Amino acid sequence: MPRKKSKPMSPGALSLVAARFKVLGEPARLSLLNALMQKDLNVNELVQATGLSQANVSKHLGMLADTGFVSRRRHGLFTVYSIEDQGVYQLCDLMCDSIARRLGNDLREIA
Amino acid sequence: MPRKKSKPMSPGALSLVAARFKVLGEPARLSLLNALMQKDLNVNELVQATGLSQANVSKHLGMLADTGFVSRRRHGLFTVYSIEDQGVYQLCDLMCDSIARRLGNDLREIA
DNA sequence: TTGCTATATAACTATTCAGGAATATAACCG
DNA sequence: CGGTTATATTCCTGAATAGTTATATAGCAA
């Protein structure tokens, strides 16, 4: 039973939305966000939390900041990052729900 | 003021979630989903609705079906697709909200 | 100033992947 | 059966981009 709720998106809105989903679609960036969801962290702490290289972390953080998902503030030598777009919590929760449903459906198909 | 709500995701969960976000992160696929959000459509109708080539549409539909976002049923010669994962409605709504907030913030920064 | 640490950026490489062209498969009709 | 339509798939090429290495910038301390 289809739901047919939301209004259709314009082509412009579509590419904006897609671009934003794509930012969340990289494991490295999602890993950074995941770490920041626990507490604000500086770059070196994020390097240790994720196991990524410093250059790679900085690059992805730059992209996350440019797209407004995180914000940064300097604290002496350090740059501390925090979640800026609180929507990422719900987005990740929803996606996890979606995966849980999918796993349940798959199991049913096998059985 | 940070929120710190969700529990941290395991590396395995992270890559699953990222992979799923990535599926939504392609304009062509999001466009197909957007069309299907209005009503179920067959491949040729989706070709016309999106302006994409038939091969391209079939390929993206295959990926959307493999990941459980859409389902397909054959109807004679036609294959009719429909939204299977109802979560895409909320996901798109949330992302649109996120964009709206971001645009508002940007304007405030300029002013 | 020099030196040190933290972070950002630039240049390069390698991989991923979207799109197109051609072909294959499937389902119907005569 | 052959023919036609609808859809799927295969192969290829080009563009986008993640990751590495090296370097640059920023801030602090002596």
Side-chain angles (χ1 to χ4, degrees), chain A residues 28 32 52-62:
Chain A
L32 290 167
L52 302 168
S53 74
Q54 181 266 316
N56 206 12
V57 165
S58 273
K59 190 162 65 168
H60 285 303
L61 286 173

Side-chain angles (χ1 to χ4, degrees), chain A residues 2, chain B residues 40-42 71-76 78-83:
Chain B
D40 298 355
L41 295 169
N42 64 41
S71 61
R72 50 182 146 202
R73 58 183 187 278
R74 287 210 76 126
H75 221 271
F78 302 86
T79 309
V80 180
Y81 284 81
S82 29
I83 301 284

Side-chain angles (χ1 to χ4, degrees), chain A residues 21-31 92 95-96 98-99 102, chain B residues 9 11-26 29 63-64 66-69 91:
Chain A
F21 275 127
K22 186 174 294 186
V23 173
L24 301 183
E26 282 310 310
R29 285 191 289 269
L30 199 61
S31 176
C92 287
M95 198 52 101
C96 285
S98 163
I99 291 172
R102 172 160 173 66
Chain B
M9 290 189 270
L14 264 173
S15 56
L16 277 179
V17 174
R20 235 165 148 65
F21 275 127
K22 187 174 294 188
V23 172
L24 301 183
E26 282 310 310
R29 285 191 290 268
M63 193 175 315
L64 288 169
D66 288 343
T67 49
F69 283 111
L91 283 167

Side-chain angles (χ1 to χ4, degrees), chain B residues 8 12 17 31 33 35 37-38 66 73 82 84-85 92 100 104 108:
Chain B
V17 174
S31 176
L33 287 173
M37 285 179 191
Q38 308 311 312
D66 288 343
R73 58 183 187 278
S82 29
E84 170 76 14
D85 186 337
C92 286
R108 252 170 262 141

Side-chain angles (χ1 to χ4, degrees), chain B residues 37-98:
Chain B
M37 285 179 191
Q38 308 311 312
K39 54 183 281 205
D40 298 355
L41 295 169
N42 64 41
V43 176
N44 253 313
E45 291 170 328
L46 284 165
V47 167
Q48 298 196 322
T50 60
L52 303 167
S53 74
Q54 181 266 317
N56 206 12
V57 165
S58 274
K59 191 161 64 168
H60 285 304
L61 286 173
M63 193 175 315
L64 288 169
D66 288 343
T67 49
F69 283 111
V70 306
S71 61
R72 50 182 146 202
R73 58 183 187 278
R74 287 210 76 126
H75 221 271
L77 268 182
F78 302 86
T79 309
V80 180
Y81 284 81
S82 29
I83 301 284
E84 170 76 14
D85 186 337
Q86 303 296 325
V88 296
Y89 292 95
Q90 299 175 59
L91 283 167
C92 286
D93 286 348
L94 266 175
M95 198 53 101
C96 285
D97 293 346
S98 164

